[in-house]
Amino acid sequence: MTSPVAETPTRVQVGGTAGTAPYEVLIGRQLLGELPGLLGTAAKRVAVLHPEALAETGEAIRQDLAEQGYDAIAIQLPNAEEAKTAEVAAYCWKALGQTGFTRTDVIVGVGGGEHTDLAGFVAATWLRGVRWIAVPTTVLGMVDAAVGGKTGINTAEGKNLVGAFHPPAGVLCDLAALDSLPVNDYVSGLAEVIKAGFIADPEILELIERDPVAARTPAGPHTAELIERSIRVKAEVVSSDLKESGLREILNYGHTLAHAIEKNERYNWRHGAAVSVGMVFAAELGRLAGRLDDATADRHRTVLEAVGLPLTYRGDQWPKLLETMKVDKKSRGDLLRFIVLDGIAKPTVLEGPDPAVLLAAYAEVSG
Ligand SMILES: NC(=O)c1ccc[n+]([C@@H]2O[C@H](COP(=O)([O-])OP(=O)(O)OC[C@H]3O[C@@H](n4cnc5c(N)ncnc54)[C@H](O)[C@@H]3O)[C@@H](O)[C@H]2O)c1
Ligand SMILES: O=C(O)C(=O)C[C@@H](O)[C@H](O)[C@H](O)COP(=O)(O)O
Ligand SMILES: [Zn+2]
């Protein structure tokens, strides 16, 4: 593949504080020419991990690297949540072993959050950690999954229960990739964009509210700005708390219930759809706990619905969801913990809410 001349990308720095290595998130178009420069001088072998849906892109990247003298292989992964499993990770380890992949070799993860989470996890575990580069191709991957170094897989017991913090050496967000993304996957990513709006950057909400229909497509007038603003929110948080010892928990807004819904649906619900319901629940919890004003709680419903995200889940599933939430990573012993808002851009932790309040909040989202 030829690497056409790129327009100047926007660069957002992540890390570089508290002993973490800095890296950049590049946002623009035709960014693949930046890839060789991120591989490091000692790299000889490169493994390009990609979903079936991006077979052509994966092969083009592999071929480009091979033409530049790298011993490049492509590893094709199943689409969607089927990729984030121990079996698929083991399949990748086998391929790396058979290629003689060493500590100076590099993994390139191409795809949405499922595939960059898996690729990062394989990079974190192979030889106890090799370099990796993320090439996110979904909105969700660009604004959230590829940034910050949370890598992992799901198990039958729950979402992302096995994983490692292993930041990439660089992230290439090529906005042109979004043109082929199915609309439901595009909209799913908007849930994390809206999350960034509620927890840190209300301008995001205003841009979407001005024209929610336009926000649903990559051709919308504010696409690049929405993506960049969300990346800046994530970059700032993970730069000061990579391993989630405090502040980073705010990125989990809406996720306590969302992960329980995803598990309950055997990972057949899109992550963003579950996060949407989870944020409505968290807003209701905040309101019932006397922290969040009515207008901000209601705003969750209006902005999420306006872009086509779901607001409700099955009422009869509460006992199962509650059980799953108990093993959420924010729980401590028997103490359930949720991220709620004290107001726009004022996230905080709500510990051990009264079970009656939890149930009442769930009643507000049960369809
Ligand atoms: N690590 C983190 O910090 C973090 C943050 C948020 C979400 N996540 C994880 O991300 C995952 C969700 O990621 P997602 O929403 O990107 O879904 P996804 O990766 O499943 O992608 C959606 C679908 O679109 C296909 N696809 C990807 N890019 C495409 C393109 N450009 N054109 C056409 N098809 C394309 C994929 O193969 C897949 O079938 C969840 O597992 C979630 O837990 C991780
Ligand atoms: O980066 C984070 O931290 C997040 O919580 C971002 C979330 O959007 C993301 O879905 C993440 O994978 C959830 O992590 P988990 O630790 O709750 O599994
Ligand atoms: Zn998420």
Side-chain angles (χ1 to χ4, degrees):
M1 186 184 75
T2 54
S3 305
V5 179
E7 59 188 69
T8 309
T10 300
R11 292 169 184 268
V12 178
Q13 186 175 311
V14 190
T17 48
T20 60
Y23 60 94
E24 284 184 327
V25 181
L26 272 61
I27 311 155
R29 284 172 191 273
Q30 298 172 347
L31 300 179
L32 289 177
E34 301 275 345
L35 190 52
L38 291 169
L39 296 176
T41 47
K44 184 176 182 312
R45 297 174 191 83
V46 183
V48 182
L49 275 54
H50 65 83
E52 214 178 318
L54 296 177
E56 247 178 62
T57 312
E59 175 52 22
I61 295 173
R62 189 207 63 76
Q63 207 180 317
D64 200 23
L65 293 169
E67 280 165 13
Q68 295 182 52
Y70 294 98
D71 185 354
I73 59 163
I75 304 180
Q76 181 160 301
L77 309 169
N79 288 325
E81 290 283 346
E82 290 150 46
K84 273 176 68 171
T85 65
E87 290 73 23
V88 174
Y91 170 76
C92 295
W93 293 325
K94 188 171 180 182
L96 297 181
Q98 289 175 347
T99 319
F101 219 75
T102 72
R103 276 201 171 145
T104 46
D105 298 328
V106 186
I107 288 174
V108 176
V110 182
E114 319 294 348
H115 300 95
T116 53
D117 274 14
L118 185 276
F121 179 67
V122 171
T125 46
W126 184 252
L127 305 182
R128 300 200 184 93
V130 296
R131 190 176 178 90
W132 78 288
I133 291 147
V135 183
T137 60
T138 63
V139 175
L140 192 144
M142 293 181 189
V143 304
D144 201 341
V147 183
K150 262 191 186 178
T151 72
I153 54 175
N154 304 324
T155 75
E157 288 68 39
K159 176 105 186 168
N160 301 337
L161 290 185
V162 178
F165 291 101
H166 187 57
V171 182
L172 300 178
C173 302
D174 192 331
L175 300 176
L178 302 179
D179 294 341
S180 60
L181 191 63
V183 65
N184 286 341
D185 290 303
Y186 193 95
V187 169
S188 169
L190 293 179
E192 303 279 21
V193 172
I194 290 169
K195 175 191 79 178
F198 276 113
I199 62 171
D201 181 0
E203 177 65 23
I204 287 177
L205 302 177
E206 280 152 34
L207 286 171
I208 293 177
E209 285 163 346
R210 246 177 258 160
D211 192 348
V213 175
R216 286 167 50 92
T217 79
H222 305 302
T223 300
E225 183 174 354
L226 288 169
I227 288 176
E228 185 182 331
R229 280 181 175 275
S230 308
I231 290 172
R232 287 191 189 281
V233 169
K234 178 130 194 193
E236 196 176 330
V237 172
V238 302
S239 294
S240 71
D241 180 21
L242 171 66
K243 295 202 174 171
E244 204 171 17
S245 47
L247 178 71
R248 186 169 183 160
E249 288 190 331
I250 68 173
L251 299 172
N252 230 247
Y253 186 54
H255 282 62
T256 325
L257 181 66
H259 283 171
I261 292 174
E262 287 183 83
K263 178 188 172 236
N264 205 43
E265 293 294 328
R266 294 168 199 268
Y267 307 113
N268 286 319
W269 261 47
R270 285 181 178 79
H271 179 66
V275 170
S276 175
V277 178
M279 285 193 287
V280 178
F281 172 74
E284 292 299 344
L285 198 52
R287 176 180 3 216
L288 289 165
R291 293 177 177 234
L292 189 61
D293 59 280
D294 289 346
T296 309
D298 293 342
R299 194 174 181 186
H300 284 68
R301 281 201 168 75
T302 46
V303 67
L304 292 164
E305 190 169 37
V307 297
L309 283 161
L311 310 178
T312 59
Y313 190 63
R314 296 153 60 192
D316 60 346
Q317 298 300 300
W318 177 244
K320 282 205 270 175
L321 299 173
L322 185 57
E323 275 313 296
T324 305
M325 288 198 294
K326 288 180 182 165
V327 292
D328 176 77
K329 290 174 220 71
K330 296 183 300 306
S331 294
R332 298 289 179 266
D334 291 332
L335 190 68
L336 270 176
R337 297 168 69 250
F338 294 86
I339 303 303
V340 295
L341 299 180
D342 279 340
I344 291 264
K346 288 185 185 153
T348 181
V349 177
L350 178 67
E351 291 197 338
D354 187 321
V357 173
L358 278 176
L359 187 59
Y362 190 68
E364 297 296 327
V365 300
S366 49

